[in-house]
Amino acid sequence: VFDAALADALRSVQRARDLSPTGRLDAPTRAVLNERRAELIPLLALNLEKWRWLPRDLGAPPLWINVPRFELALRERAGDDWADATRFVTVVGAHDWETPAFTDTMETIVFNPTWIVPASIQRESYGEVRGFVERQPGPGNAMGRVKFLFPNDHAVYVHDTPSKWAFDVDDRARSHGCVRAGNPEALARELLTRTNGWTAERVRAIFQGPWGPTQSVTVEATVPVHLVYFTAEVDPDGRLRVYDDVYRRDARLADALGLERPDAHGRVLATLIADTIGDEHWGEAEGVEEEDSDGEMDDETEAETDASAAPPAAEAAEADRRLVGPSDTLGTREGEVLLRSPAPLAPRPRY
């Protein structure tokens, strides 16, 4: 049935491909729709396979963290589709500390958390294991103001960070496996106003208040957490997004399934993103959506952002080395480049 929704979808395609947005299935539009993009087929086949790994019912509201996109979204139902209640950038696991893909349930939100420094991170930071090391709440705590817990076998969770500079770089695979939230206040606000009946002012007061005491809040409704690894996905607005295969998982998956690899280098071409998606203004739109919905940033966050600016030396780091910010390695000079530990302790706790 050719209805108003289908006409609107046709107009979106026509605008993206520089056609007259008539909403009618004319000859130029039909030609565009019939194009066969051979380079997309292996990529889409692999990502369709990944959808088979997810539960049929994603739950409501689901927390959606797509690792290759370096973004987190809290989604809610909008009729038969999804809309983003909030969405912002993230930092995920470095190439030798990959963030895994799995589904779990949010259980606890901890404000002003303490942090027990894992033995593996002590070895990387100090060159040795110093025993039990606990950081109290404060500006130097790697967890920042809040952490979001969904207990799992991978010891992975979402948390704030005092190291803000990494949110401004393109390759945001820089953590020890956990997901650092670019806007933790927005996530806490959108979650707790939906699950626990909190007000936005109550959440804001914690972020603008003193560092302590530690407060653990049980999430009173079911919030599924989906950490996914989609190198191609469709946004709630119907636009196709294509991302770099940051951990080179697609090639291994294609080999295991006997499918064609997306391309020889495991990366997507910039021309593929611009031409296939036809979304030349995506960067401008994304920049608007990443901002907090109130458009505010408290003084303390601004101070942390300035203090955590990445030094110029970090930008020139060698390709085979991994940058580590101050929240990765307490006691290490900010932005110092460290070699990967040759013999990490097992199991490897993450943050």
Side-chain angles (χ1 to χ4, degrees), residues 30-31 66 88 99 142 150 164 198 203 252 275 283 300 336:
R30 190 185 302 273
N66 189 7
F88 50 77
T99 298
F150 36 99
K164 307 295 185 183
W198 283 34
V203 175
R252 298 196 299 270
D275 190 29
E300 188 162 7
E336 181 176 345

Side-chain angles (χ1 to χ4, degrees), residues 50-305:
K50 295 170 192 175
W51 273 105
R52 289 160 48 96
W53 307 344
L54 291 171
R56 184 176 296 274
D57 183 0
L58 296 178
L63 189 61
W64 187 262
I65 305 169
N66 189 7
V67 173
R69 183 170 181 163
F70 303 125
E71 284 192 356
L72 173 156
L74 180 66
R75 294 182 167 173
E76 58 186 358
R77 281 291 183 187
D80 294 332
D81 215 328
W82 294 100
D84 292 339
T86 187
R87 177 165 58 85
F88 50 77
V89 297
T90 61
V91 170
V92 300
H95 300 281
D96 54 339
W97 288 87
E98 295 184 10
T99 298
F102 64 94
T103 290
D104 217 298
T105 303
M106 182 82 67
E107 294 186 5
T108 309
I109 300 175
V110 183
F111 293 104
N112 296 314
T114 59
W115 180 47
I116 299 174
V117 185
S120 54
I121 295 179
Q122 290 185 43
R123 173 176 287 181
E124 185 175 351
S125 304
Y126 313 134
E128 62 180 0
V129 178
R130 299 181 178 179
F132 182 82
V133 179
E134 184 177 26
R135 299 293 181 181
Q136 296 302 309
N141 188 314
M143 301 295 100
R145 281 287 184 177
V146 63
K147 61 182 179 181
F148 304 84
L149 303 181
F150 36 99
N152 56 83
D153 294 338
H154 308 281
V156 164
Y157 47 93
V158 177
H159 65 86
D160 184 18
T161 176
S163 182
K164 307 295 185 183
W165 64 267
F167 295 116
D168 296 324
V169 300
D170 292 333
D171 181 7
R172 295 194 291 275
R174 296 172 182 269
S175 80
H176 284 84
C178 281
V179 177
R180 301 181 195 167
N183 196 338
E185 181 177 347
L187 180 57
R189 179 184 66 243
E190 298 299 334
L191 280 172
L192 290 174
T193 54
R194 286 167 169 76
T195 62
N196 289 41
W198 283 34
T199 62
E201 291 72 22
R202 183 175 178 181
V203 175
R204 184 179 299 114
I206 294 177
F207 277 82
Q208 296 181 350
W211 286 92
T214 299
Q215 179 183 3
S216 295
V217 179
T218 300
V219 179
E220 296 177 0
T222 301
V223 178
V225 180
H226 304 289
L227 281 101
V228 297
Y229 193 88
F230 285 108
T231 48
E233 67 173 348
V234 177
D235 269 354
D237 59 9
R239 292 178 295 182
L240 176 66
R241 304 294 195 192
V242 183
Y243 313 108
D244 286 341
D245 182 6
V246 292
Y247 299 148
R248 304 295 183 263
R249 291 180 184 173
D250 278 359
R252 298 196 299 270
L253 177 60
D255 292 345
L257 297 176
L259 299 176
E260 181 183 351
R261 291 188 177 193
D263 67 56
H265 304 289
R267 297 178 63 85
V268 283
L269 303 177
T271 53
L272 174 64
I273 298 175
D275 190 29
T276 302
I277 301 174
D279 197 11
E280 294 79 4
H281 304 293
W282 171 77
E284 299 170 15
E286 290 293 317
V288 173
E289 292 174 4
E290 282 169 12
E291 302 234 354
D292 183 19
S293 57
D294 351 355
E296 296 179 359
M297 178 182 286
D298 59 76
D299 294 338
E300 188 162 7
T301 303
E302 288 183 323
E304 288 175 355
T305 303

